[in-house]
Amino acid sequence: GLTKDRDGFSALDQEDIEAVERGYTNYLYLKWPGIFTRVHVLMMGIYIYNNSPEKDPTWSTLTERFDLWKASWLAFKTKPILGWGTGQIEVAVEFGLQKNSSPMVGSNIRSHNQYFSILLLWGVVGFIAFFALYAYFVYSSRANKIFIFNIFLIALALNGLVNDPIEGQIGQNFFVFFSVFYYYFYPKIKTEVQFIFYLS
C-alpha cells in the first residue's frame, strides 16, 4: 500500500527490502505457498497482456511465449515448405518479432515450442520426415509396447508444447538416451530376466 516513490521505499522494513532483493514484487508472495505465487504471476501476466494497449508480454514467461509463438507462426508462413534451415531458429523468430513489432525484439531467443522449432528448421517436409522416421523407429523396435516408454513419450510431447527440449544438449541427451535404452537395452534386459526367472 506504499507509494512507489522515495518516501514509499524509505518506509520499507528490512524484511521487505530482502524480499525485493530476492525478486518478490508483491507482499502477498511472502505469505502464499510457492504454487499460489506462480499461478498468480501467470494470471496477472495474462491479464496485463490482454488489457494493455501495447500487449506487453514481459510480465510473465507464459505471455512471452505467446509473443514467441505468434512470431514463430509468422516466420513459418514465410518459408513453410523447407523452413529456414539448420541453425536459423533465432533468426526466424527475430524476423517474426520484428514483423509483429514485439517488445521482445532483439532478445535472440528460440520459439519455446519444439513443434514450431522443427517447422522453422525444416518446414513441413522436415516436420513430416522427422516424426515419420521416429514413429518407424518406435514401432519397428516394439518399444511402444513398453508402458514406461509411453510415459516417456507423453512427458516429452507435453513438454514440447511450452519448451524446445531437444534443441539443447541436455534435452538431446535425454531424448536419445531413453529412446536407445528402450529400443535396444530394455527388451534385452527383460528377456534375460525372464530367462533367469524361468531357469530358477
Side-chain angles (χ1 to χ4, degrees), residues 145-157:
K145 302 289 185 183
I146 304 167
F147 176 74
I148 298 174
F149 181 74
N150 290 317
I151 297 297
F152 159 73
L153 284 184
I154 291 169
L156 194 67

Side-chain angles (χ1 to χ4, degrees), residues 94 97-98 104-109:
E94 182 66 19
L97 290 172
Q98 289 179 1
M104 296 180 67
V105 166
S107 56
N108 192 36
I109 195 169

Side-chain angles (χ1 to χ4, degrees), residues 6 11 20 33 69 118 187 195 197 200:
R6 186 181 65 179
V20 171
W69 296 339
I118 295 171
F195 181 68
F197 179 76
S200 63

